[in-house]
Amino acid sequence: MFKDTFDKLCWACLALVLIALLVLLGMKAGSGEGKAASGLDKAVEREMAYHARVELIAKLYGPVEGLRKEGKNQEALLKLDELIRKYPGEAHGHILQGEILREMGALDEAVTSYVAGVKLNGDYLDDKSPLSRRGDIQRLVDEGLKNIGTRAAANPGNRTIAASLQKVNYLRSRLAGGCE
């Protein structure tokens, strides 16, 4: 087996390669904690980004809330239209618009606004979210089924009312846990 120098050199190289392989495997196994830590870092980053988003929403829509509390719903709607045009992918404007329209008695338009907001961001249906409007949406659906459902039954050929009822049913299915 170890007859000449070449054999001895081959066995020595093989031993070095095996030792190097064991060292690399040992180092790789020790770095497994780094992956868990990086996953934790990503979770913290997502949480921080979410909280920053909530704060930005509060800052952007604060003036609208102020106008709404003062009873200046028309001015609040005008400001909301401006913000919705400026930030078209932000759902909060649609949700606020739906709340104001519902307070003003425009149920069909309120349903349309809520649907637009929920389609953009489903967090408004999540009980655990600080943005949650689940209770308001549930009350809107109950009122919509009663009011719009009655009008749809009385006017079965009216496509506008049928579209509004379809939107109410969309919100109802999302509340029940359905997806898009």
Side-chain angles (χ1 to χ4, degrees):
M1 198 155 149
F2 295 107
K3 295 186 179 184
D4 59 2
T5 310
F6 180 74
D7 287 339
K8 291 177 185 177
L9 185 62
C10 285
W11 282 105
C13 285
L14 183 61
L16 285 173
V17 168
L18 287 174
I19 291 170
L21 183 64
L22 290 173
V23 168
L24 286 175
L25 287 175
M27 288 174 49
K28 186 73 170 175
S31 69
E33 298 167 357
K35 285 191 177 188
S38 85
L40 182 63
D41 291 342
K42 287 181 183 178
V44 169
E45 285 178 22
R46 278 194 303 269
E47 188 71 23
M48 287 175 56
Y50 189 75
H51 285 296
R53 183 172 175 268
V54 169
E55 288 178 27
L56 178 66
I57 286 172
K59 181 180 174 187
L60 284 175
Y61 294 100
V64 174
E65 289 286 353
L67 289 170
R68 186 173 165 206
K69 286 178 183 174
E70 293 173 12
K72 300 178 181 177
N73 287 336
Q74 295 295 335
E75 292 176 36
L77 285 173
L78 289 173
K79 181 71 174 168
L80 269 176
D81 281 339
E82 178 184 321
L83 288 171
I84 289 171
R85 272 189 251 112
K86 191 173 182 180
Y87 304 102
E90 180 55 54
H92 197 75
H94 295 285
I95 298 295
L96 282 177
Q97 187 178 43
E99 290 175 358
I100 294 170
L101 288 169
R102 183 173 175 215
E103 288 173 6
M104 294 173 68
L107 185 63
D108 293 355
E109 292 81 6
V111 168
T112 300
S113 291
Y114 271 102
V115 166
V118 167
K119 282 185 177 183
L120 286 172
N121 188 348
D123 287 349
Y124 291 94
L125 296 171
D126 184 11
D127 280 334
K128 297 174 184 157
S129 171
L131 300 173
S132 180
R133 296 286 200 282
R134 187 175 183 87
D136 294 338
I137 294 172
Q138 182 64 55
R139 285 187 289 279
L140 176 75
V141 166
D142 293 342
E143 183 180 347
L145 287 173
K146 186 167 44 169
N147 185 320
I148 297 171
T150 304
R151 287 189 294 148
N155 301 310
N158 190 328
R159 291 184 182 176
T160 306
I161 296 173
S164 292
L165 185 59
Q166 184 178 13
K167 290 174 184 173
V168 169
N169 285 327
Y170 168 80
L171 288 174
R172 185 171 76 173
S173 74
R174 290 297 305 268
L175 283 168
C179 57
E180 300 267 336

